[in-house]
Amino acid sequence: MKILVVEDERQLSEVLTALLKQHMHDVDVVRNGLDGEDYAMTGVYDAIILDIMLPGKNGIDVLCALRRRGNATPVLILTAKSEIEDKIKGLDIGADDYLTKPFVSGELLARLRAITRRGNEFIGDELHAGNTVLDKNTHEIRGEKGALKLSAKEYQIMDMLLSNSRQIIPKERFAEKVWGFDNDAEYNNIEVYISFVRKKLAAIGSDLQIKAVRNVGYSLEVPEC
Ligand code: CA
């Protein structure tokens, strides 16, 4: 997943970044509320970890602005124990969950997973489609003929496809989510990774197909049950 961390305490943001990267997430960190709002409004994040006491604009105001502007990205609020009232207010205005500092890393990861869970497709830590399963912990895909581990980029591509099956995902969205803003992802780079994923799907006997839509992007074709 691509996660935005809005946290001004340098040490805490570094710990968060290391933890999330260790779990194969892609992380952007900003240290004030104004940047937090700007970054969040790009809509490329799967989740936002938002501190309350921030320079520029506090977390509650950032969250309020995001929801007012139609941004529905799941938000996990981080609060100090003394900010209990803010926490309650945060939940009222559209935070998905909160965590009190100091927190245990396992709990943070569990809450992130919980707020990003999507509909019925999400069974535990797995995404299912057709005869194929993507394991979010091991980054393996499984089919009738076996299982294979995906690389970080292959995993992100597969995760995007499975989370938006039968929809056309523009190449630009792959570029933003998988390669990040700062990288000029060459479009043929995306094609190369798509071809890697296709080969792995074929190797495990998957009945999913990644269709290319000329000059637009890709969609995942799932056989009807
Ligand atoms: Ca703070």
Side-chain angles (χ1 to χ4, degrees):
M1 292 195 295
K2 193 169 173 73
I3 295 168
L4 177 65
V5 173
V6 190
E7 171 60 75
D8 60 318
E9 287 165 53
R10 188 167 289 273
Q11 203 185 351
L12 178 56
S13 67
E14 283 170 4
V15 169
L16 276 171
T17 303
L19 173 71
L20 295 169
K21 285 193 169 162
Q22 191 191 339
H23 288 265
M24 308 299 278
H25 298 303
D26 199 356
V27 186
D28 286 336
V29 179
V30 291
R31 300 187 194 283
N32 69 72
L34 297 170
D35 286 347
E37 185 178 336
D38 283 348
Y39 274 63
M41 280 308 295
T42 59
V44 301
Y45 297 99
D46 299 296
I48 300 165
I49 298 176
L50 182 63
D51 183 28
I52 289 186
M53 296 295 282
L54 289 164
K57 193 171 195 174
N58 76 54
I60 298 291
D61 289 346
V62 170
L63 177 59
C64 199
L66 290 179
R67 296 303 186 239
R68 199 180 54 236
R69 294 170 71 185
N71 181 297
T73 307
V75 170
L76 177 67
I77 283 188
L78 285 186
T79 69
K81 278 219 165 70
S82 58
E83 298 160 356
I84 292 292
E85 291 206 351
D86 285 339
K87 181 168 77 186
I88 294 162
K89 196 172 166 196
L91 289 172
D92 280 347
I93 61 171
D96 297 85
D97 203 354
Y98 65 86
L99 202 54
T100 309
K101 300 178 197 173
F103 51 84
V104 180
S105 54
E107 189 175 6
L108 176 95
L109 294 168
R111 283 177 193 256
L112 265 184
R113 280 200 297 273
I115 65 171
T116 52
R117 213 160 268 167
R118 282 156 290 208
N120 297 328
E121 282 180 310
F122 202 109
I123 303 169
D125 285 337
E126 295 177 340
L127 279 170
H128 293 243
N131 66 357
T132 307
V133 178
L134 178 69
D135 188 316
K136 296 203 150 209
N137 289 322
T138 62
H139 290 194
E140 274 185 356
I141 42 168
R142 292 198 305 274
E144 282 173 3
K145 292 183 188 168
L148 280 175
K149 193 159 174 84
L150 299 179
S151 72
K153 285 188 168 49
E154 290 168 352
Y155 171 80
Q156 285 178 298
I157 287 170
M158 200 60 213
D159 189 21
M160 283 179 76
L161 286 166
L162 277 169
S163 303
N164 303 280
S165 54
R166 301 194 180 95
Q167 295 172 33
I168 298 167
I169 306 174
K171 287 181 179 179
E172 293 78 21
R173 259 179 73 75
F174 284 108
E176 282 171 5
K177 279 212 150 184
V178 181
W179 278 267
F181 291 118
D182 305 331
N183 275 322
D184 251 355
E186 301 276 342
Y187 285 155
N188 56 12
N189 216 346
I190 299 170
E191 281 163 30
V192 169
Y193 275 90
I194 291 277
S195 78
F196 291 161
V197 176
R198 279 192 180 123
K199 277 184 190 143
K200 288 192 176 175
L201 286 173
I204 62 163
S206 171
D207 56 3
L208 304 178
Q209 287 207 341
I210 302 174
K211 289 240 165 99
V213 183
R214 232 181 123 92
N215 298 326
V216 184
Y218 296 92
S219 70
L220 187 71
E221 298 297 312
V222 182
E224 304 287 343
C225 302

